[in-house]
Amino acid sequence: MEHIAIKENNNVSTQSNFLPLLILTILTILMSFLRKYKPFNSWIVSRVNQMISPETMTNDQYYIITNTFKMVHGPTNGSLSHNRQLFPLNGLYNALLNLNEYGVRSKRQNSIILQRALSLNSEFKSQLKDIEYFDKLNDVDLAVVENNITVKKIVESTLTRLVDDNQSVLREGDNYDSAIFEQVKMVCEPLGYTIQAGNTVQLKRKKEPTMNSLLSKSSNQARVVESLQHLVRDYSKEYEIELNPLLDYVTSQMDDLYTNFQDDKVLILVPGPGVGRIPFELAKKYPKCQVESIELSNLMYLLNEFALTHQEDITIRPFAQYFSSQLDSGDQLREFNVPLSCIRKLPNLNIRHGDFRNISINEKYDRIVIVTVYFIDTAENILEYIDTMEKLTKFAHTKQINWINIGPLKYGTKPNVQLTFNELTKLLAIRNWKMKHVVINNDGNKLNGYLTDYKSLYQGYYGTVAFHTEYID
Ligand SMILES: C[S@@+](CC[C@H](N)C(=O)[O-])C[C@H]1O[C@@H](n2cnc3c(N)ncnc32)[C@H](O)[C@@H]1O
C-alpha cells in the first residue's frame, strides 16, 4: 500500500509539473497566433506607448486660471471645461512638450537633409563642398540651436510662472496641496525640470538631459515654427509692414466710436488673436475699454502669455529651415529682434483660452466692439461665428454690437460654407446688421503679407475685406 501511495504522489507531482507547462504551451501558441494578427499588434503597441508616452503623464482634471496660471482641480463631471477662463493643464503641457522637442526634431530634420546630400557620388559631394553647401547646413544647425535658446526661454518662463503662481499650495504649510504638487512635478519632469518640497518651491533644471526616447508621438513641429514666426510678425519692427495696415483700419473705425463712448462701459472682444499684438495695442490705445481676447490654440495662447510677461527682447530666425526659394543662405538664416521688453500686461487686457463659439461674458456692458483680424475664414461655419456675436447681446445685456473686420476669405479646415464677400454682406443685411463702412483691398499695392518672407522668391500676399458693421438687438 505504501508503495502504491508513493506512486500516487508521484502522479500528483507529475500532474502539477505538467499544468504550468500546458498553460505556457497554450499561451505560446496563442501569442504566436495573435502576433500575426495586426489589430492585436497595434493594440499592444498603443497600450505600451500610452504607458510610456510623455503626453499621457498629466491628469486631465486640472486647469490653470488664465492670466494668473493658478491651478485648480476640475470637477469630475467636466462642467469646468465650459468655463473659458480656464486652460486645461494638459493643453499647457502638450504645448510645452511640442516646444521642448523643437531642438531635437529640427536637428533630426536637418540631418536627413545632410544625409541626402552625402548619398551623392564623391564628385558631386566635392562640388557641393566647394560651393560651401555643407557649411550652410552646419549654419542651419547653429540657427536651430539659437532658436532653441528662445524656445527654452518660453518653456522655462511658463514653468516658472506655473510654480510661482501656485506657491501658496506648493510650499509646505496649511494650504499645501499634495495633488497639485504632484501634477506640477509631473509637468516639469519630462521637460527637464523638477521641483522640491520646502518652504519655498523653486523650479530647478534637472542635471541629466531629458531622454530623447521620450519624444511624444504626435508632435507638430510645423505649428511650433509657425508660432515662432507669429511672434516675429506681431512684435518685430520689420513686420510692421504687415501689421500696421490692419491696426490702422481697426483704429480708424474705433477712434470714431471711442469719442462717443463717454462714460459707457465698453468691451472690445478679439477672437483668434494669435500671439496677441492686436489686443495689446487696442488695450493701450483705448484705456477706458476692457479688452478681452479668446484664442483656441494652446501654443498661440501660451506664446501670447509669454509675450506679455517676458519683458526682455528675444531673437528668432524664422526662415532657418526654409531651403526653397532662397537667393542666398544669409537671407534664409537672418535673425529678427523681437522687442518684448516694451510689451507688458495691461490692467484693461484679459487674454482667454478657448473656442470663441463657446464664449460667455459674465459682466454687463453698454457696448461691445468685436474686432476680427484674419479670423472669419477660420470658421467651419461662418454663420456660427455671427450667431455667437449676436448672442453676446444676451450675455452682456448689451443692445448694440459693433463689428470691425479686416482679413481675407481664404476658408480653412473643412468649411461647411464658403461665402463670397457679397454673400456675406447679404447675409448680414438679412440678420439686421447695418454696414457702416467697407473697403476692398484687392489691388496689387494694397495686398497684405502674412508671415511673408520678403527676401524669398516665393512671397504670399492676401487681398482683404475690411468692414465695420453694427447690430442692434
Ligand atoms: C489666421 S490666425 C490670425 C491670428 C491673428 N488674428 C493675427 O492676425 O495675427 C487665426 C487665429 O484664430 C485662432 N482660432 C481659430 N478658430 C478659433 C476659434 N473658434 N476660437 C478662437 N480662436 C480661433 C487660431 O488658433 C489662430 O490663432
Side-chain angles (χ1 to χ4, degrees):
M1 286 293 282
E2 262 181 17
H3 182 69
I4 292 167
I6 291 166
K7 221 177 167 187
E8 272 175 356
N9 272 348
N10 269 350
N11 271 347
V12 170
S13 101
T14 324
Q15 258 177 22
S16 65
N17 280 342
F18 178 69
L19 199 64
L21 201 70
L22 182 72
I23 293 172
L24 198 72
T25 315
I26 293 173
L27 272 177
T28 314
I29 295 168
L30 196 69
M31 284 304 285
S32 69
F33 168 74
L34 283 173
R35 274 180 52 201
K36 288 182 197 136
Y37 182 57
K38 267 197 181 154
F40 175 75
N41 266 343
S42 18
W43 180 76
I44 286 284
V45 170
S46 84
R47 297 301 299 173
V48 172
N49 262 342
Q50 252 178 28
M51 279 190 283
I52 60 165
S53 168
E55 284 142 303
T56 53
M57 284 185 178
T58 56
N59 185 324
D60 60 7
Q61 290 303 318
Y62 290 86
Y63 295 80
I64 60 164
I65 301 173
T66 55
N67 288 299
T68 69
F69 277 28
K70 254 188 183 330
M71 270 177 69
V72 286
H73 299 260
T76 41
N77 65 13
S79 63
L80 258 185
S81 61
H82 298 298
N83 184 337
R84 293 300 151 177
Q85 300 280 8
L86 298 176
F87 180 33
L89 185 66
N90 261 342
L92 172 134
Y93 176 62
N94 283 323
L96 292 181
L97 261 187
N98 271 281
L99 285 166
N100 210 44
E101 293 177 359
Y102 167 81
V104 175
R105 288 193 185 269
S106 302
K107 281 205 153 196
R108 280 190 188 175
Q109 190 56 37
N110 291 348
S111 78
I112 292 171
I113 291 167
L114 174 65
Q115 289 313 316
R116 284 189 195 140
L118 289 176
S119 70
L120 302 179
N121 69 34
S122 50
E123 193 190 341
F124 289 168
K125 275 192 289 199
S126 150
Q127 288 171 5
L128 287 179
K129 191 162 177 276
D130 288 347
I131 61 163
E132 299 176 346
Y133 182 77
F134 294 107
D135 293 341
K136 176 182 80 176
L137 296 189
N138 195 38
D139 289 345
V140 171
D141 258 359
L142 294 177
V144 164
V145 170
E146 285 185 25
N147 277 347
N148 201 33
I149 293 174
T150 296
V151 168
K152 294 280 178 193
K153 279 183 188 163
I154 300 170
V155 174
E156 190 164 312
S157 119
T158 307
L159 291 179
T160 305
R161 276 190 69 195
L162 188 66
V163 172
D164 289 352
D165 290 1
N166 289 290
Q167 202 52 235
S168 63
V169 287
L170 292 177
R171 69 170 162 240
E172 284 164 1
D174 293 347
N175 297 329
Y176 174 69
D177 186 324
S178 60
I180 288 191
F181 186 93
E182 282 313 313
Q183 285 297 312
V184 173
K185 197 166 175 183
M186 260 197 264
V187 168
C188 294
E189 297 266 342
L191 298 166
Y193 294 85
T194 191
I195 53 169
Q196 267 157 15
N199 287 336
T200 317
V201 176
Q202 272 178 340
L203 184 73
K204 291 222 166 71
R205 233 178 257 203
K206 283 202 295 192
K207 290 215 176 68
E208 75 280 16
T210 313
M211 282 188 300
N212 288 351
S213 57
L214 277 187
L215 287 181
S216 57
K217 283 171 293 164
S218 54
S219 169
N220 190 337
Q221 287 304 309
R223 285 261 181 271
V224 171
V225 172
E226 189 191 73
S227 61
L228 292 177
Q229 290 177 333
H230 271 89
L231 278 178
V232 177
R233 169 179 179 267
D234 271 27
Y235 297 100
S236 79
K237 189 116 195 76
E238 290 85 343
Y239 274 78
E240 284 176 359
I241 187 177
E242 291 189 358
L243 213 70
N244 281 354
L246 307 171
L247 270 169
D248 286 350
Y249 182 72
V250 173
T251 52
S252 71
Q253 298 304 306
M254 262 304 293
D255 284 347
D256 285 348
L257 293 173
Y258 197 64
T259 45
N260 294 323
F261 284 160
Q262 287 154 5
D263 288 334
D264 284 353
K265 193 173 167 202
V266 179
L267 170 69
I268 301 177
L269 181 64
V270 187
V275 295
R277 178 68 180 273
I278 286 163
F280 172 79
E281 288 302 329
L282 295 177
K284 203 166 73 172
K285 187 150 200 262
Y286 307 109
K288 283 194 297 179
C289 302
Q290 171 67 15
V291 178
E292 305 243 346
S293 64
I294 179 159
E295 170 55 53
L296 184 64
S297 144
N298 297 337
L299 255 178
M300 294 287 203
Y301 169 75
L302 272 191
L303 263 53
N304 191 169
E305 282 281 358
F306 173 76
L308 291 174
T309 50
H310 188 58
Q311 297 193 329
E312 279 172 25
D313 294 1
I314 54 167
T315 55
I316 295 174
R317 297 172 190 264
F319 308 113
Q321 288 150 279
Y322 286 64
F323 288 87
S324 282
S325 306
Q326 302 290 357
L327 273 182
D328 182 71
S329 63
D331 296 341
Q332 178 180 347
L333 295 167
R334 72 195 189 280
E335 178 182 89
F336 291 82
N337 184 47
V338 184
L340 296 181
S341 52
C342 37
I343 307 297
R344 65 200 176 283
K345 289 229 159 188
L346 297 169
N348 60 332
L349 174 63
N350 181 37
I351 68 168
R352 304 181 182 202
H353 172 267
D355 189 328
F356 169 60
R357 291 169 300 176
N358 298 331
I359 192 163
S360 64
I361 307 279
N362 299 324
E363 290 214 21
K364 285 186 181 176
Y365 285 97
D366 299 312
R367 300 272 287 261
I368 297 183
V369 183
I370 299 168
V371 173
T372 52
V373 177
Y374 276 80
F375 176 71
I376 53 174
D377 51 2
T378 63
E380 266 171 42
N381 173 4
I382 197 168
L383 285 96
E384 262 184 341
Y385 278 2
I386 301 168
D387 251 0
T388 308
M389 293 181 197
E390 292 167 5
K391 278 193 200 129
L392 290 176
T393 51
K394 307 277 177 300
F395 282 130
H397 305 277
T398 311
K399 284 265 157 283
Q400 183 173 337
I401 305 254
N402 288 76
W403 174 18
I404 303 169
N405 171 74
I406 179 160
L409 288 177
K410 183 173 176 289
Y411 294 99
T413 20
K414 289 194 249 138
N416 297 325
V417 260
Q418 301 178 66
L419 302 184
T420 63
F421 181 60
N422 287 339
E423 286 162 347
L424 177 62
T425 43
K426 277 192 222 161
L427 178 75
L428 289 172
I430 61 172
R431 293 182 71 124
N432 265 349
W433 290 80
K434 265 203 350 239
M435 203 52 98
K436 288 169 65 94
H437 191 262
V438 180
V439 192
I440 310 292
N441 302 306
N442 60 355
D443 278 356
N445 60 354
K446 287 196 186 143
L447 299 181
N448 185 230
Y450 187 87
L451 308 173
T452 301
D453 179 352
Y454 294 93
K455 298 223 167 175
S456 169
L457 297 171
Y458 171 81
Q459 301 186 16
Y461 293 88
Y462 290 91
T464 58
V465 287
F467 60 83
H468 178 186
T469 177
E470 198 170 75
Y471 177 77
I472 299 183
D473 193 22

